[in-house]
Amino acid sequence: MEITRHNFKQVIDQVSEAVDEASFLCIDGEFTGLNNGPALHGFDTPQERYDKLRKGSLDFLFVQFGLCAFKYETEESRFVARPFNFYIFPRPLNRNAPDCRFLCQASSLHFLASQGMDFNKVFRDGIPYLSPVDEQQMRDTLDQKHATQQLHSPPFTSGTSQTSDSSRSIQVPAEHKDFIQQTLTRIQSFIDSEEESLQLEPCNAYLRKLIYSTVKNKFSSSVYLETKVGEQNQHYFIEVSKANEEVLKKRGEEKRQQELDELDDAVGMSKIIRMICQSGKLVIGHNMLLDVLHLVHKFSYPLPQEIDEFKSLVNCLFPRLLDTKLMASMHPFKELVSNTTLGDLEATLGKEPFKVPVIVFPEDFPGYETAQEHQAGYDAYITGRCFTIMANYLGKFKSQSKPALPGSALLEPFVNKLYLMRVQDIPYVNLTGQDLKPNRDHVFHVTFPKEWKSNDLYQLFRPFGPIYIAWIDDVSAFVALNKKDQSDLAYKMLCEGVSYRVRRYGDHKDPNTSHGRKRPLSLPETFAPWNGEGKRLKVTSSDVGRSVILYNILKMIMFLKRQNQ
Amino acid sequence: MEITRHNFKQVIDQVSEAVDEASFLCIDGEFTGLNNGPALHGFDTPQERYDKLRKGSLDFLFVQFGLCAFKYETEESRFVARPFNFYIFPRPLNRNAPDCRFLCQASSLHFLASQGMDFNKVFRDGIPYLSPVDEQQMRDTLDQKHATQQLHSPPFTSGTSQTSDSSRSIQVPAEHKDFIQQTLTRIQSFIDSEEESLQLEPCNAYLRKLIYSTVKNKFSSSVYLETKVGEQNQHYFIEVSKANEEVLKKRGEEKRQQELDELDDAVGMSKIIRMICQSGKLVIGHNMLLDVLHLVHKFSYPLPQEIDEFKSLVNCLFPRLLDTKLMASMHPFKELVSNTTLGDLEATLGKEPFKVPVIVFPEDFPGYETAQEHQAGYDAYITGRCFTIMANYLGKFKSQSKPALPGSALLEPFVNKLYLMRVQDIPYVNLTGQDLKPNRDHVFHVTFPKEWKSNDLYQLFRPFGPIYIAWIDDVSAFVALNKKDQSDLAYKMLCEGVSYRVRRYGDHKDPNTSHGRKRPLSLPETFAPWNGEGKRLKVTSSDVGRSVILYNILKMIMFLKRQNQ
């Protein structure tokens, strides 16, 4: 189902119901770019990779979010899938709201547009969003404004922050005296007439301010002024209508409610993400590290510097995650799957020895009849499809009659580990424990002249057998020896090079300058709104506020821990 | 006429012809955003405004360029208009080409998309471009590569920078020995067969490198390898075809030519801009300062720091510019035009006392039958339409029988002055002379607590009559007195405030820290490829190279001047 800001309100209950009923949720994100920093390479540690993504990837926009809720029906032994495809765009709420600037990567936009992504729909009809912090700030501002208005006379005007200013009077400069006098005369005739409303000529903000101020002085509460936008958003003009104290009060209340409703609309997409968080259900993605980073950063909290704090935050927001790319790279699938890109994986899992379980879309629910790769909703659906096949296989593997579903011990080895792309010896980020620390004694950090190409490195290391090169930039790379027993010899022979410099990986990673890995923080159990089994506890709508508090407590604990170290 | 990368080559001659025949050219640009820095305000000096735009506006993308060539036909007393609407997008030329990152402003994208801008077309079908500097760099790299290839054996492979590496051999690691052996066997059978070509299985870059290297060793010049991209750009695979020395040589030459052609395609949109520069014709825009900045920066040279250097550069590239927004704000139009936004101006100029001259589109040339505001081609056309009406009026005003056309002295007051938006007392940037230095003795720089609103400033200055406020940020603003004779009194009364600080404009602008305005540099006449009348001199295709040299000479002169100061 396609969701834009136009049908968002109508379908949010459907989404909520689908999430509530789901056995697990699949997600996917599409972005305006992937990386704007140093290149990712094969010997990034989890902290280094996290830093690169945090600094280089989050200025891109999250333009499409796919959510596919899968429900397992035991009696029919089948899955029911409800895919939703959300278009997202941070259109400014009003003239005073922040106007977001974001980054794009030419190759990403070209690729997505070629794959059929409708960017016109994104920019025109995308659903807005506010993070909890932004929302709280805007709510506070609004509360303050309303409190001020209550103290003073009933609001005389509608509209923006002008209100507080315009209730006091401004001197009219000589060159505008005629204009203002004419306007006052027109309004007087209007009051004396049978007309219900009067539209003044479009004029600039300064003149509107003069009008508000002088009309208030002269006519007090007998008229109500409202600034309106002309056709095609090109002009602002004032509409005058007749009023009295009571009408003004009522208008004021309506206006306040309207502002609160607008703010509620602006929270938009964040509501869906909170819904997912609050469900506490297993959330599945394919190569989902970047998606999770964006989801946390854009819809929840700014990402912390340390990956351990990030892990705690993710545990708090998404207590159970599963990455199908990692799952397909692990036993028993590793042996059967040669290529784990989503499209290839789906193809492989469609053949023997795998069996595709029955997956249906509900009646009257728009599903997918043809492939729509790189559309977030479709990719979320395919991710789920891959998961069900692997879950089916796991069940059969253990002679069970049904797929391994969330809660099953068979899935535990795959939970809360996110695939770490292109890293040679650390396959995943472990969200609930220490990351792997592989031996890298056979890896060297090499710096060399800018003119060097791969072949120069092959030549340099030729005496020590085949090598793997992970480029860092134009003048440095990590080089790993295939024959690990050659490491000491290679170092001895090469460490005193003239035009190049070879250092052992461990010496290059100065423990004083690199991020020390701390033990991930586990939340005291009483804080966690979800229990260890990933089953849903009773959660209320105040849980978002609660998770704000949780996160703040978390920050405090981390701070105190650092103080004590 | 809509122009994308698909029809660019077919229509470039038509564009060239239209430019050649034109009496004047109208332009317009659409961008992914407007400003990402400090706000523009009413007392910016030209240098300050230039700095703000240079630092805050150029990271946005130029996505649409409108060019409308107008030709005056004396006999028919009519204009013939040829509007072109170019979609622009810096899609990377190939895997090794730079992948542009650019900025977007949410409100701008939402506005343009709502007005019908087709961003899918931009991202998918936009015409690429290279600045002269980038072009030269890529041409040098290509020349170098080709020179190296000439020295060595005829190219054995096609494709990217792999070539130089893969001509030397790499050791095959144990785990890939089987794979490589199988591949070599397959190729041997292929050579012995009647088949014309053989597609190997898709594999990753490292394995392809191994294949290139081992095949070269074993089969020398009897086969030719080419890396190809699979359907949907998802896989790379190698295609093997039979060859001999001669075939390889021919393939190599074809490949070189193909690379040169690709580079030529990548220059794309820059060719159009160079065409306009080389024409030396009057170029007309509406509120065109930002367009000119983008055109120079993206398609010619990075903008210099000093506005005077910028002016010299613009004089060199676009010797005659005219801004219709400024023209409409000057005598004799100022008295007749109340609103100078393009749409309003067109409406005003459509009524008495103005007369619309006959403007036609050539037969079979796609013109405009309905309004398409904010489409660059349409806006360029409307800009020209406004100009012809004003030129007509000027001609009639001076009892001429025809409109004031480029070259006419009647237009001189309007030439080479660019409208300076929202600045109170400096209406334009003067491209061929000193900028105005208005008296600002009645202007004060005020700093105050963050809580202050406009009204607090009105209250503060109330004793001295009406004021105009130009906000700088949350805690400072320029305040101008309407009653200039109150300036000294106001300063005396307010200069010792406690919660706020009032300084005279002149004191605030410390001459030691602000940019000193230097006399604009005029190019020695022998350097200028255009004569003073704006008529076209004979220009050749080497003129772009020449303008690079010109600009470098210019930089040198500026440098020497500064040394002597």
Side-chain angles (χ1 to χ4, degrees):
Chain A
M1 181 186 288
E2 299 270 283
I3 309 182
T4 65
R5 65 187 168 99
H6 304 298
N7 66 341
F8 184 71
K9 274 188 181 171
Q10 288 95 289
V11 302
I12 193 164
D13 287 343
Q14 261 191 76
V15 179
S16 173
E17 196 184 302
V19 169
D20 274 351
E21 291 182 354
S23 311
F24 56 90
L25 303 169
C26 297
I27 62 163
D28 182 58
E30 299 297 339
F31 314 102
T32 59
L34 296 175
N35 193 276
N36 186 36
L40 314 182
H41 67 66
F43 291 103
D44 280 334
T45 63
Q47 175 74 53
E48 285 166 348
R49 177 61 59 89
Y50 173 73
D51 283 344
K52 286 181 183 178
L53 295 177
R54 188 173 62 86
K55 291 177 191 159
S57 298
L58 298 174
D59 291 335
F60 296 109
L61 205 68
F62 203 130
V63 288
Q64 210 175 58
F65 177 71
L67 170 67
C68 188
F70 280 81
K71 180 185 171 189
Y72 185 67
E73 296 184 333
T74 316
E75 283 186 19
E76 287 91 346
S77 300
R78 65 175 195 183
F79 291 93
V80 181
R82 285 181 175 79
F84 301 95
N85 188 44
F86 298 88
Y87 289 81
I88 311 178
F89 194 68
R91 190 173 58 98
L93 170 64
N94 56 42
R95 277 189 297 157
N96 302 312
D99 187 4
C100 166
R101 269 72 165 176
F102 61 91
L103 216 56
C104 294
Q105 185 168 350
S107 59
S108 298
L109 292 191
H110 178 74
F111 175 77
L112 286 177
S114 312
Q115 296 284 322
M117 165 75 83
D118 189 344
F119 282 100
N120 299 328
K121 209 165 179 175
V122 170
F123 301 154
R124 215 170 36 207
D125 310 320
I127 305 156
Y129 58 88
L130 287 179
S131 72
V133 177
D134 289 342
E135 180 188 349
Q136 200 51 53
Q137 218 161 44
M138 293 188 72
R139 223 170 263 288
D140 289 349
T141 311
L142 217 54
D143 285 352
Q144 234 168 21
K145 182 179 156 191
H146 293 169
T148 318
Q149 284 174 351
Q150 300 283 11
L151 280 179
H152 295 83
S153 61
F156 156 75
T157 59
S158 97
T160 62
S161 57
Q162 276 188 335
T163 323
S164 58
D165 286 357
S166 56
S167 59
R168 301 168 222 169
S169 73
I170 308 174
Q171 290 189 4
V172 178
E175 66 264 39
H176 297 310
K177 285 223 163 102
D178 280 359
F179 170 78
I180 292 297
Q181 194 46 54
Q182 282 162 20
T183 305
L184 293 177
T185 311
R186 269 192 81 187
I187 294 178
Q188 185 60 60
S189 329
F190 160 69
I191 292 174
D192 301 340
S193 75
E194 299 292 310
E195 300 295 322
E196 297 215 334
S197 72
L198 166 70
Q199 288 190 359
L200 300 180
E201 291 296 306
C203 63
N204 66 35
Y206 179 65
L207 290 178
R208 292 202 303 278
K209 203 168 192 122
L210 286 179
I211 294 173
Y212 271 95
S213 166
T214 50
V215 169
K216 160 93 179 162
N217 273 349
K218 177 150 184 178
F219 300 107
S220 178
S221 59
S222 59
V223 290
Y224 177 79
L225 304 189
E226 193 167 10
T227 297
K228 295 203 161 176
V229 187
E231 275 171 47
Q232 299 185 314
N233 296 318
Q234 287 197 330
H235 302 292
Y236 289 96
F237 65 89
I238 293 178
E239 190 176 85
V240 189
S241 45
K242 292 174 188 168
N244 56 41
E245 289 283 338
E246 203 171 320
V247 168
L248 285 188
K249 200 172 163 193
K250 192 161 156 264
R251 290 268 187 140
E253 272 154 21
E254 283 166 10
K255 183 73 204 162
R256 265 168 230 147
Q257 191 52 50
Q258 189 191 328
E259 283 170 343
L260 286 171
D261 290 350
E262 268 177 21
L263 180 57
D264 198 56
D265 288 350
V267 175
M269 195 58 208
S270 304
K271 289 183 189 167
I272 303 293
I273 309 304
R274 289 174 202 172
M275 211 179 262
I276 296 171
C277 290
Q278 284 167 17
S279 79
K281 294 201 174 162
L282 179 67
V283 174
I284 300 175
H286 190 83
N287 199 8
M288 74 193 303
L289 179 58
L290 192 58
D291 301 72
V292 172
L293 259 70
H294 273 283
L295 285 178
V296 172
H297 189 78
K298 300 245 155 73
F299 303 107
S300 304
Y301 308 101
L303 290 184
Q305 277 196 345
E306 300 291 328
I307 191 170
D308 287 344
E309 281 192 51
F310 163 72
K311 290 180 181 182
S312 304
L313 184 53
V314 172
N315 289 335
C316 183
L317 295 167
F318 301 98
R320 295 176 72 73
L321 295 174
L322 186 146
D323 190 326
T324 44
K325 190 171 176 85
L326 182 74
M327 189 172 180
S329 316
M330 285 170 72
H331 177 75
F333 304 105
K334 185 170 71 170
E335 294 78 0
L336 300 161
V337 174
S338 60
N339 194 332
T340 59
T341 60
L342 190 58
D344 287 329
L345 179 61
E346 192 208 354
T348 305
L349 294 177
K351 290 179 255 176
E352 286 292 335
F354 299 106
K355 270 187 72 181
V356 186
V358 178
I359 305 176
V360 297
F361 299 110
E363 263 181 50
D364 302 332
F365 191 97
Y368 294 102
E369 280 171 16
T370 56
Q372 298 186 34
E373 283 182 42
H374 301 284
Q375 192 236 51
Y378 180 78
D379 278 2
Y381 163 65
I382 293 300
T383 298
R385 194 176 159 84
C386 289
F387 172 76
T388 60
I389 303 172
M390 290 193 284
N392 211 15
Y393 184 81
L394 280 183
K396 293 279 163 16
F397 200 69
K398 295 288 176 185
S399 321
Q400 288 187 355
S401 62
K402 62 169 197 168
L405 292 172
S408 157
L410 293 173
L411 286 181
E412 284 310 307
F414 309 106
V415 170
N416 284 336
K417 296 184 180 121
L418 303 188
Y419 187 76
L420 201 52
M421 223 174 25
R422 274 183 252 156
V423 175
Q424 294 302 301
D425 49 10
I426 310 177
Y428 56 82
V429 174
N430 187 356
L431 289 174
T432 46
Q434 293 244 15
D435 284 311
L436 299 174
K437 283 190 197 172
N439 181 312
R440 288 184 176 171
D441 287 347
H442 62 299
V443 181
F444 299 96
H445 180 263
V446 191
T447 51
F448 39 79
K450 212 178 165 175
E451 295 70 36
W452 278 36
K453 303 253 150 107
S454 301
N455 204 52
D456 298 288
L457 289 172
Y458 289 123
Q459 295 302 334
L460 183 66
F461 283 90
R462 177 176 283 251
F464 316 105
I467 56 170
Y468 166 83
I469 305 171
W471 286 88
I472 299 167
D473 51 34
D474 276 359
V475 294
S476 62
F478 286 114
V479 170
L481 298 189
N482 195 287
K483 298 178 179 166
K484 296 188 182 181
D485 58 1
Q486 297 287 302
S487 304
D488 289 338
L489 183 63
Y491 182 67
K492 211 165 139 193
M493 302 290 284
L494 299 176
C495 69
E496 293 187 0
V498 179
S499 60
Y500 58 87
R501 184 176 175 197
V502 173
R503 284 192 292 176
R504 282 178 183 281
Y505 178 84
D507 297 337
H508 165 68
K509 296 270 143 188
D510 181 359
N512 294 323
T513 59
S514 72
H515 292 274
R517 281 202 213 99
K518 303 201 198 78
R519 203 161 50 80
L521 199 93
S522 58
L523 269 183
E525 234 171 73
T526 45
F527 285 1
W530 307 276
N531 70 8
E533 299 311 300
K535 283 181 201 141
R536 196 179 173 197
L537 294 183
K538 197 138 189 68
V539 283
T540 68
S541 67
S542 70
D543 276 3
V544 175
R546 198 167 142 197
S547 71
V548 177
I549 299 168
L550 266 180
Y551 181 60
N552 288 334
I553 295 174
L554 199 73
K555 294 278 284 185
M556 213 155 68
I557 298 173
M558 300 291 291
F559 175 75
L560 292 173
K561 278 210 154 193
R562 266 202 297 276
Q563 295 285 313
N564 289 335
Q565 269 167 7
Chain B
M1 182 185 289
E2 299 270 284
I3 308 181
T4 65
R5 68 188 165 97
H6 304 297
N7 66 342
F8 184 71
K9 273 188 180 170
Q10 288 94 291
V11 301
I12 193 165
D13 287 344
Q14 263 191 75
V15 180
S16 173
E17 196 184 300
V19 169
D20 274 353
E21 289 182 355
S23 309
F24 56 89
L25 304 169
C26 296
I27 61 164
D28 182 59
E30 301 297 340
F31 314 102
T32 58
L34 296 174
N35 193 276
N36 186 37
L40 314 182
H41 68 65
F43 291 103
D44 280 335
T45 62
Q47 175 75 54
E48 285 165 349
R49 176 62 58 90
Y50 173 72
D51 282 344
K52 286 181 183 179
L53 296 177
R54 188 172 63 86
K55 290 178 193 158
S57 299
L58 298 174
D59 291 335
F60 296 110
L61 205 68
F62 202 131
V63 288
Q64 210 176 57
F65 177 71
L67 170 68
C68 188
F70 280 81
K71 180 184 171 188
Y72 185 66
E73 296 185 331
T74 315
E75 283 186 18
E76 287 90 346
S77 300
R78 68 176 192 180
F79 290 94
V80 181
R82 284 182 176 79
F84 302 94
N85 188 45
F86 298 88
Y87 289 82
I88 311 178
F89 193 68
R91 189 171 60 99
L93 170 63
N94 55 43
R95 279 189 296 157
N96 302 310
D99 186 6
C100 167
R101 268 74 166 176
F102 61 91
L103 217 55
C104 294
Q105 185 168 352
S107 59
S108 298
L109 291 192
H110 179 73
F111 175 78
L112 286 177
S114 311
Q115 297 285 323
M117 165 76 83
D118 189 344
F119 282 100
N120 298 329
K121 208 165 178 173
V122 170
F123 302 153
R124 216 170 35 207
D125 310 321
I127 305 156
Y129 59 86
L130 286 179
S131 73
V133 178
D134 288 342
E135 181 187 347
Q136 200 51 55
Q137 217 161 45
M138 294 189 71
R139 224 170 261 290
D140 289 348
T141 311
L142 217 52
D143 286 351
Q144 234 168 21
K145 180 180 159 192
H146 294 170
T148 318
Q149 284 175 348
Q150 300 285 10
L151 281 178
H152 294 82
S153 61
F156 157 75
T157 59
S158 96
T160 63
S161 59
Q162 276 187 335
T163 323
S164 57
D165 286 357
S166 57
S167 61
R168 298 169 226 169
S169 73
I170 309 174
Q171 290 189 5
V172 179
E175 67 263 42
H176 298 308
K177 284 223 160 105
D178 280 358
F179 170 79
I180 292 296
Q181 194 47 54
Q182 282 163 18
T183 305
L184 293 178
T185 311
R186 268 191 82 187
I187 294 178
Q188 184 61 60
S189 327
F190 160 68
I191 291 174
D192 301 339
S193 75
E194 299 291 310
E195 301 295 321
E196 297 214 333
S197 71
L198 166 70
Q199 288 189 1
L200 300 180
E201 292 296 305
C203 62
N204 66 35
Y206 178 65
L207 289 178
R208 293 202 302 278
K209 207 172 188 112
L210 286 180
I211 294 174
Y212 270 95
S213 166
T214 50
V215 169
K216 160 91 179 163
N217 273 348
K218 176 153 182 175
F219 299 106
S220 178
S221 58
S222 59
V223 290
Y224 176 80
L225 304 190
E226 195 166 8
T227 297
K228 296 204 160 175
V229 187
E231 275 173 46
Q232 299 185 313
N233 296 318
Q234 287 197 329
H235 303 292
Y236 289 96
F237 64 88
I238 293 177
E239 190 176 85
V240 189
S241 45
K242 292 175 189 168
N244 55 42
E245 289 283 337
E246 204 170 319
V247 170
L248 285 187
K249 198 171 166 193
K250 193 162 155 262
R251 290 268 187 140
E253 273 155 21
E254 282 166 11
K255 184 72 203 163
R256 265 167 230 149
Q257 191 52 49
Q258 188 191 330
E259 284 171 342
L260 286 171
D261 291 349
E262 268 176 22
L263 179 57
D264 198 57
D265 288 349
V267 175
M269 195 58 208
S270 304
K271 288 184 192 167
I272 304 293
I273 309 304
R274 288 176 203 171
M275 211 180 263
I276 296 171
C277 290
Q278 284 167 16
S279 79
K281 294 200 173 161
L282 180 67
V283 174
I284 300 175
H286 190 82
N287 199 9
M288 75 193 301
L289 179 57
L290 191 59
D291 301 71
V292 172
L293 257 70
H294 272 282
L295 284 179
V296 171
H297 189 76
K298 300 243 156 73
F299 303 107
S300 303
Y301 307 101
L303 290 183
Q305 279 198 343
E306 300 290 328
I307 192 170
D308 288 343
E309 279 191 55
F310 164 71
K311 290 179 182 182
S312 305
L313 183 53
V314 172
N315 289 336
C316 182
L317 295 167
F318 300 99
R320 294 176 73 74
L321 294 175
L322 186 146
D323 190 327
T324 44
K325 189 170 177 85
L326 182 75
M327 190 172 179
S329 316
M330 286 172 72
H331 175 76
F333 303 104
K334 184 170 70 171
E335 295 78 1
L336 301 162
V337 174
S338 61
N339 194 331
T340 59
T341 61
L342 189 58
D344 287 329
L345 180 62
E346 193 208 351
T348 306
L349 294 177
K351 291 179 254 175
E352 285 292 332
F354 298 105
K355 268 186 73 181
V356 186
V358 178
I359 305 176
V360 296
F361 299 110
E363 263 179 53
D364 304 330
F365 191 97
Y368 293 103
E369 281 172 15
T370 55
Q372 299 186 34
E373 283 181 45
H374 301 285
Q375 190 236 54
Y378 180 78
D379 278 3
Y381 163 65
I382 293 298
T383 298
R385 194 176 159 86
C386 290
F387 172 76
T388 60
I389 303 172
M390 291 195 282
N392 211 14
Y393 185 81
L394 279 182
K396 293 277 162 20
F397 200 69
K398 295 289 178 184
S399 325
Q400 288 186 356
S401 63
K402 63 168 195 170
L405 292 173
S408 157
L410 293 173
L411 287 180
E412 284 310 308
F414 309 106
V415 170
N416 284 336
K417 296 183 180 123
L418 303 188
Y419 187 76
L420 202 52
M421 224 173 25
R422 277 183 250 154
V423 175
Q424 295 301 301
D425 50 10
I426 311 176
Y428 56 84
V429 173
N430 187 356
L431 288 175
T432 46
Q434 293 244 15
D435 284 310
L436 298 174
K437 283 188 198 175
N439 182 311
R440 288 183 176 172
D441 287 347
H442 63 298
V443 181
F444 299 97
H445 180 264
V446 190
T447 50
F448 40 79
K450 212 178 165 178
E451 295 70 36
W452 278 35
K453 302 253 150 108
S454 302
N455 204 51
D456 299 287
L457 289 172
Y458 288 123
Q459 295 302 334
L460 183 68
F461 283 91
R462 178 177 283 251
F464 316 104
I467 56 169
Y468 165 83
I469 304 171
W471 286 87
I472 299 168
D473 51 34
D474 275 359
V475 295
S476 63
F478 286 114
V479 171
L481 298 187
N482 194 287
K483 297 178 178 166
K484 297 190 180 181
D485 58 2
Q486 297 287 301
S487 305
D488 288 338
L489 184 62
Y491 182 67
K492 213 166 140 191
M493 303 291 283
L494 300 176
C495 69
E496 293 187 0
V498 178
S499 62
Y500 59 86
R501 184 175 175 198
V502 174
R503 283 193 291 176
R504 284 178 183 278
Y505 178 85
D507 298 338
H508 165 67
K509 295 271 146 191
D510 181 359
N512 294 324
T513 59
S514 70
H515 291 275
R517 282 203 213 98
K518 301 202 199 77
R519 201 162 51 80
L521 197 93
S522 57
L523 270 183
E525 233 171 74
T526 46
F527 284 1
W530 307 276
N531 69 9
E533 299 311 300
K535 283 180 201 143
R536 193 178 176 198
L537 294 182
K538 198 139 189 67
V539 282
T540 69
S541 67
S542 71
D543 276 3
V544 174
R546 199 166 142 195
S547 70
V548 178
I549 300 169
L550 266 179
Y551 180 60
N552 287 333
I553 294 173
L554 200 72
K555 295 276 286 186
M556 214 157 66
I557 296 173
M558 301 290 293
F559 175 76
L560 291 172
K561 278 207 154 193
R562 268 201 297 274
Q563 294 286 313
N564 290 335
Q565 268 169 10

